């Protein structure tokens, strides 16, 4: 028996050549990418600015950090959380019908192909572009950020929702159908319990992503803490930049811990 197994292992083709070729291709791509980088682009002035940035971050403006007015870090972080939260909720709600229209087992092929193309278009355009568009339409402020977060959330959330919908246990629905359950009862007791935990986990994960994106959207005037951050950077107030970054780091760490625990409980049941 041992001889038979050894013979079969020896007969299997060696993948050393494939691995060597893959390593050569990766190395060639790395060298080609490095050739496009200008390492001598940083002069003495740039190094001085970098030193001031690091010094400002290490010596933050404590008055701004502990300012509880609408100009302080706490209020700006709260505004950023609200933008990310509302954008996630609206995006998750809008993603539910989109996901069902994208599911091959639910709708005809032309319908889900059309919806998939629609979602691909949404995912292709960067969030900053949407932010600039909504700022032009609604004016600068948190509302533009919420609209941007809602639209960009649809692209990812609906795609993940489809995977959950396709994994539904059809046997439960067939059993309920044989028991004479109505369509509402099948949706209420057969479909929703299978979807709610995974849908909630995906939504929490997207909120974690939106919290970071909401910070970037502030750079284009879509509300949140990004606007004061870019203003402080443009005016070289690096101690204020340090205060804002400290607040962001603490906030993201807290949200990361809480979201991971919630998602873990939802997945494990």
């Amino acid at each position: 028996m041992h001889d038979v197994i050894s013979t079969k292992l020896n007969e299997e083709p060696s993948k050393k050549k494939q691995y060597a070729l893959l390593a050569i291709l990766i190395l060639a791509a790395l060298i080609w990418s490095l050739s496009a980088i200008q390492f001598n682009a940083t002069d003495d002035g740039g190094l001085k600015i970098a030193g001031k940035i690091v010094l400002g971050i290490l010596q933050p403006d404590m008055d701004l950090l502990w300012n509880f007015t609408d100009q302080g870090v706490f209020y700006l972080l709260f505004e950023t959380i609200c933008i990310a939260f509302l954008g996630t909720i609206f995006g998750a709600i809008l993603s539910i019908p989109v996901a069902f229209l994208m599911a091959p087992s639910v709708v005809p092929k032309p319908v889900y192909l059309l919806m998939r193309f629609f979602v691909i278009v949404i995912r292709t355009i960067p969030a900053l572009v949407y932010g600039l568009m909504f700022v032009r339409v609604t004016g600068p402020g948190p509302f533009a950020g919420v609209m941007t977060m809602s639209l960009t959330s649809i692209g990812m959330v609906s795609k993940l929702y489809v995977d959950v919908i396709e994994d539904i246990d059809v046997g439960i629905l067939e059993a309920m159908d044989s028991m004479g359950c109505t369509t509402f009862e099948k949706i209420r007791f057969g479909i929703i319990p299978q979807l709610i935990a995974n849908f909630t986990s995906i939504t929490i994960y997207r909120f974690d992503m939106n919290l970071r994106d909401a910070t970037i959207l502030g750079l284009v005037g879509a509300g949140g803490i990004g606007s004061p951050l870019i203003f402080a950077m443009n005016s070289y107030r690096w101690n204020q930049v340090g205060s804002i970054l400290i607040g962001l780091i603490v906030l993201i760490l807290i949200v990361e811990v809480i979201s991971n625990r919630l998602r873990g409980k939802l997945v494990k049941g």
Side-chain angles (χ1 to χ4, degrees):
M1 184 67 180
H2 182 270
D3 295 336
V4 174
I5 295 175
S6 299
T7 305
K8 289 185 177 180
L9 290 175
N10 292 329
E11 291 176 355
E12 291 183 359
S14 177
K15 295 184 178 180
K16 292 182 179 179
K17 293 182 179 180
Q18 290 88 330
Y19 292 150
L21 179 61
L22 180 61
I24 292 172
L25 290 175
I26 294 175
L27 182 60
L30 179 62
I31 295 173
W32 179 76
S33 300
L34 290 175
S35 65
I37 301 176
Q38 298 179 0
F39 293 98
N40 58 350
T42 304
D43 54 10
D44 294 336
L47 293 176
K48 290 181 180 179
I49 294 175
K52 291 180 180 179
I53 293 173
V54 174
L55 186 62
I57 293 175
L58 295 177
Q59 297 177 351
D61 185 353
M62 302 305 295
D63 293 335
L64 178 64
L65 186 60
W66 298 105
N67 188 348
F68 293 96
T69 65
D70 58 356
Q71 303 296 324
V73 173
F74 282 94
Y75 178 84
L76 296 171
L77 290 175
F78 176 72
E79 186 178 82
T80 304
I81 293 175
C82 291
I83 293 172
F85 180 76
L86 292 175
T88 304
I89 295 298
F90 293 151
I93 293 173
L94 294 173
S95 296
I96 294 175
V98 174
F100 277 99
L101 292 175
M102 287 173 58
S105 61
V106 177
V107 296
K109 186 175 181 179
V111 176
Y112 84 77
L113 287 178
L114 180 62
M115 290 305 299
R116 284 180 182 271
F117 176 76
F118 170 70
V119 171
I120 289 173
V121 173
I122 292 178
R123 288 167 59 88
T124 303
I125 303 175
L128 283 177
V129 176
Y130 286 124
L132 289 170
M133 292 168 58
F134 281 114
V135 166
R136 290 291 183 180
V137 174
T138 65
F143 184 69
V146 173
M147 296 296 293
T148 303
M149 291 289 94
S150 302
L151 188 57
T152 54
S153 296
I154 294 175
M156 189 199 83
V157 174
S158 60
K159 189 174 183 298
L160 296 178
Y161 280 3
V162 172
D163 296 335
V164 177
I165 294 171
E166 291 298 305
D167 290 336
I168 288 178
D169 188 357
V170 183
I172 296 176
L173 302 180
E174 293 176 350
M176 296 180 69
D177 194 25
S178 63
M179 294 171 60
C181 295
T182 63
T183 302
F184 176 77
E185 290 173 338
K186 288 190 289 184
I187 295 174
R188 171 64 181 84
F189 300 102
I191 296 178
I192 293 180
Q194 296 187 62
L195 299 180
I196 189 66
N198 288 324
F199 274 20
T200 306
S201 177
I202 292 169
T203 303
I204 293 173
Y205 176 65
R206 183 62 202 185
F207 169 71
D208 194 10
M209 296 179 62
N210 281 346
L211 187 61
R212 295 168 174 81
D213 291 343
T215 304
I216 300 173
L217 286 176
L219 302 179
V220 297
I225 202 169
S227 297
L229 178 61
I230 192 64
F231 291 153
M233 293 176 67
N234 289 336
S235 58
Y236 304 106
R237 297 194 296 267
W238 302 117
N239 56 341
Q240 294 186 6
V241 173
S243 301
I244 295 173
L245 291 179
I246 288 173
L248 279 173
I249 292 170
V250 173
L251 174 64
I252 290 175
L253 286 176
I254 293 174
V255 173
E256 182 81 16
V257 172
I258 295 175
S259 63
N260 286 340
R261 289 185 178 181
L262 288 176
R263 291 177 62 234
K265 290 182 179 180
L266 288 169
V267 172
K268 293 178 182 178

